[in-house]
Amino acid sequence: MPAKLSKKLYSLFAVFLLACLIPLHARDIVITVEDTDLGLPLEGALIRSWDGGEHSCDEAGRATITVPDDRQVVIQVAYPGYENGRLVIPLRGDSFSLGLRLSGVMENRELVIEAQRPGISETKSGRSVAISGEDLARTAEIGIIEDVMTSIKLLPGVGYTGMFNALPSIRGGEPGDLTAVMDGFYIEQPYHWGGGVSIFDPRMVQSAQLSHGVFSTRYGHTISGLLEVTSKKASATETELELGISSSATNLNLSVPLRGKGGIMVMGKVTYWDPFVWAAQQLSTVVDDETLDQVNAVSTAPYIRSSAFSVNYRFTPEVEWTMGGFIGGDGVGAAYDNDSIGEDGLPRQTDLHFNWNNMLGFLNTRLIINPLPSMVLKTTLGAGFSQADLYGDTYNNITVPYSGADFIAEYGPLLSGDTYSLDQHQRIGITNTTVNYQGRVDLDWDLGKGFLFGLGFQELYSKWILQDTIHGIVETAVHLPVTVNGQSFIIPYVNYPVDYTIDVSNQGFTSSGYTLLEYASPNKRIGGELGLRLDHVYFIGKDFTIQTTPALNPRINLDFGILRNKGILDSLTATIGTGLFSSMTDNISQIQRDNGIDDFEMKQNRSWTSVVGTKFDFMGGFSFNIEGYVKYVFDRAYSLSSTDSESQTRSSDYLFDGEGRIWGFDLMLQKFESRYWDGWISYSFTHARYRNPQAATVVGDDESEQGIWYYPWFQRFHNLNLILNIKPVKWFNIAIRFGLASGRPKNMVGEIKPYLVQVRHEDGTISYIEKYKREAYYSDNERTTWSIPLDLKFSWFLFDLKGKGQAEIYFAIENLLSLVYKAQANTSFNSYTGEENTGSNAAAYELPIPMPSIGFKWTY
């Protein structure tokens, strides 16, 4: 670039910064929002400030915000059932008021359609915890992957998983049991990279609500947790543009109004990890870390390509229509070719090739009708699909010496010299396709005097197509007597190739219905919900059908307003609830006729959950919530697989008698949005024990027990999260995410020892080799070390002079403490040479180095 041109660009950039940076001189003003016709204050009205901040009005309809005192700015106000309002704040004055009018003639519509404030999911003690607005942006829009699940994993009751795992355990439940719903549509596999991250980009999401207590009978298909995601809605009056560029991805959102009655929004995302992979590969040449070395095998950098849209349109005050859709793809590839000479001077060749490609999408539409001012009817239709393709190929051609004279002396007649050679090839090709169609009808009817009646029906059709072609190597423990040259030997293990294919095409209908009655007294002293849900599964396979017994799931919640406006206490509430839940395990989609399962033998996973909670709301925007819970899991599905060494075939048995006993408590202290700082600190204790009555568990040398109670692999006793946002000036923010998670279970391991293996080659010949193993036993007392994640984000905000545009520039670094500390698990070792790796296996899904990132976001 020529020097003169470079100087001009720097000068223009400097002028732009000076023109855009907000002045440090500002003043606080009070905004009062009320009903224009009745003059009543609108508690909970949402004020969207000139700088992008959001403020909620108190009981008097008032909120205090900070504005610059050298120019006019514009704020927006929204409240359910009312037309949105805009207010110009002049250069002088400390208090202003704005009146909102009801939309059309539906005076009570805001009481029926939504149970929460606009743009904010509902947080209810004993039921759910929500995150939205600035909290969602600060905690999810960070790092090399911006993901709503990053925020969800910081909430109380959610187990720590690491950076690249979007399948957390919710209050001790199985990670895969978290059910996701977006705008009323169930999404079966809302993940990229096989569960590494979710499809929910924070730039397409308005709010997210995690329900892990006794939530409403409106939703089911889970025994652990429900994630309700609300997509962003296009403005009916404003054209909006948002551009986000980071070191690993580019996002673009465009919103266009539709004649003042709705709008359409389109969103797109493209990732580019090639520079990051290249940098990590260069770093691996100077940093001695076996986990980091694996990045050198990456042949196709991980990628995500996705787009989404949403449409909302109000035909009349009584009829609103919405539609949303998503399509996305992801993939990654690895190629590892290693020809080397071992320390013993013998040649070894190990080749590995791996490719993953995944496509998924869905389309859903909803029609919301008010046949009466006190009634809302919602109809939802949708369809979705996903297809994952996995190909893997490994080749081993090695020559290895036997361990020593003792081994040769013991098994000499079986061996061929002082060394052995092994030439084995394994291949796997899997295509997993899922298609689903679903529809639901929901009716809410305000009966008056605080009562609300709800009724709904849902139908979910799924088709699962699984096509596997596998050429693998299986090693099975046996007690095989062999006689060679008059000497007898007992062979402990047999190694042989196995070829098998799986071609399954199954279908399932899940039919659900619910009814409920809600009550809230006029003074909110007493409230509650009583509901009943029914779920039934009808399964159609090749030449067979099976069904479950209908699962009846009654639920009840009671809420009590104990105190209100007493000293520093704004309110004190308590809740108690209990109920039954049901779900189906994913692997039942592979059931075949040969499994011999009859009608009503297949069962839905069930849980009985009880919760008690108390919430304190204090003056100054502080809130403290404590909840305790007990869950009993029963009829839990699991499978047992086995391989027959003689017929060289594999089989699986599906069982439905698993149990679980879970209890724990969550604490959360939160400081809501304020001028200088906000955030929360949460602590969760989880005690989860499971049992598979017909499964045997190794608990010692040649010792196993059947049906023991055990801690599942994902269970952690303690999870602590600190989220802190520090705002010394309006244009600068420091976001801190700190976590502390106790270890998860690991096996107790013994010494690495040699053992004899009979190898049955593909050409029919037999040889004997030496391999190494390390006995591994289950133990209640063995755990990985603690995980201590620390992430920092520094944000600089720029605003234009008219209050319409905003820009953010950020620098973030994740996993900062990995420079000095890494959670430790058991080490790994080479099963052919017995060499133990120097480093520990990772105790969580993350890289062993800090992950820096930069980003830029511009909205207008």
Side-chain angles (χ1 to χ4, degrees), residues 781-800:
N781 302 316
E782 289 293 308
R783 296 263 165 176
T784 63
T785 59
W786 288 62
S787 295
I788 312 176
L790 174 62
D791 308 324
L792 298 177
K793 179 183 179 183
F794 303 92
S795 300
W796 291 264
F797 298 95
L798 312 172
F799 309 97
D800 69 13

Side-chain angles (χ1 to χ4, degrees), residues 390 392 427-431 467-471 499-502:
L390 170 66
R427 296 177 301 275
I428 181 172
I430 299 177
T431 298
Q467 296 171 313
D468 293 4
T469 302
I470 298 175
H471 173 75
D499 287 289
Y500 62 94
T501 60
I502 298 176

Side-chain angles (χ1 to χ4, degrees), residues 507-511 536-540 545-548 599 602:
Q507 306 170 70
F509 291 88
T510 303
S511 305
H536 175 260
V537 177
Y538 186 75
F539 192 88
I540 304 173
T545 62
I546 51 179
Q547 61 180 311
T548 66
D599 268 350
M602 183 175 72

Side-chain angles (χ1 to χ4, degrees), residues 50 73 91 108 137 187 242 250 268 282 305 360 364 402 413 542 547 588 603 606 610 701 718 747 767 793:
W50 61 283
V73 294
L91 296 178
N108 291 325
I187 307 175
E242 180 177 327
T250 295
Q282 304 310 304
R305 311 283 187 266
L360 70 159
N364 68 300
Y402 292 110
K542 185 177 181 180
Q547 61 180 311
I588 64 102
K603 298 179 181 179
R606 305 295 303 279
S610 299
D701 284 324
H718 310 282
N747 284 329
S767 66
K793 179 183 179 183

Side-chain angles (χ1 to χ4, degrees), residues 684-800:
S684 299
F685 175 84
T686 305
H687 187 278
R689 301 271 280 180
Y690 284 77
R691 188 173 84 96
N692 299 328
Q694 301 184 53
T697 302
V698 178
V699 294
D701 284 324
D702 299 323
E703 181 183 356
S704 63
E705 295 183 13
Q706 184 168 313
I708 69 169
W709 287 96
Y710 63 92
Y711 292 109
W713 64 268
F714 49 82
Q715 189 264 345
R716 297 178 187 267
F717 285 113
H718 310 282
N719 286 274
L720 182 142
N721 290 298
L722 171 65
I723 312 302
L724 185 61
N725 299 298
I726 303 172
K727 299 169 281 187
V729 291
K730 292 289 291 184
W731 51 267
F732 181 64
N733 184 89
I734 303 172
I736 302 171
R737 303 188 315 200
F738 173 76
L740 193 61
S742 61
R744 56 182 177 83
K746 68 172 184 177
N747 284 329
M748 177 183 291
V749 296
E751 297 180 4
I752 300 172
K753 299 179 180 180
Y755 66 101
L756 181 70
V757 181
Q758 183 191 80
V759 178
R760 300 175 182 178
H761 300 279
E762 295 187 28
D763 59 6
T765 61
I766 292 178
S767 66
Y768 294 89
I769 68 172
E770 180 188 37
K771 290 183 67 176
Y772 292 83
K773 67 176 181 177
R774 181 172 62 187
E775 298 295 342
Y777 322 120
Y778 171 78
S779 172
D780 281 344
N781 302 316
E782 289 293 308
R783 296 263 165 176
T784 63
T785 59
W786 288 62
S787 295
I788 312 176
L790 174 62
D791 308 324
L792 298 177
K793 179 183 179 183
F794 303 92
S795 300
W796 291 264
F797 298 95
L798 312 172
F799 309 97
D800 69 13

Side-chain angles (χ1 to χ4, degrees), residues 514-626:
Y514 73 87
T515 183
L516 60 86
L517 182 67
E518 295 180 4
Y519 173 74
S521 63
N523 56 8
K524 297 183 180 180
R525 284 297 180 94
I526 300 177
E529 177 183 320
L530 175 65
L532 176 65
R533 182 181 179 88
L534 182 145
D535 294 299
H536 175 260
V537 177
Y538 186 75
F539 192 88
I540 304 173
K542 185 177 181 180
D543 302 327
F544 75 99
T545 62
I546 51 179
Q547 61 180 311
T548 66
T549 301
L552 291 174
N553 297 316
R555 300 171 200 169
I556 184 172
N557 280 291
L558 297 175
D559 303 308
F560 305 95
I562 301 173
L563 293 175
R564 195 176 183 90
N565 298 324
K566 295 291 184 180
I568 63 170
L569 196 64
D570 282 344
S571 65
L572 169 59
T573 59
T575 184
I576 185 172
T578 188
L580 292 173
F581 299 82
S582 61
S583 71
M584 291 301 296
T585 303
D586 288 341
N587 64 4
I588 64 102
S589 63
Q590 302 178 30
I591 288 178
Q592 301 181 59
R593 183 187 182 95
D594 294 342
N595 295 122
I597 300 174
D598 295 326
D599 268 350
F600 310 119
E601 289 185 3
M602 183 175 72
K603 298 179 181 179
Q604 301 181 56
N605 300 330
R606 305 295 303 279
S607 76
W608 179 18
T609 301
S610 299
V611 178
V612 59
T614 302
K615 185 180 180 183
F616 300 82
D617 290 320
F618 298 96
M619 295 177 59
F622 286 92
S623 176
F624 176 71
N625 189 51
I626 179 171

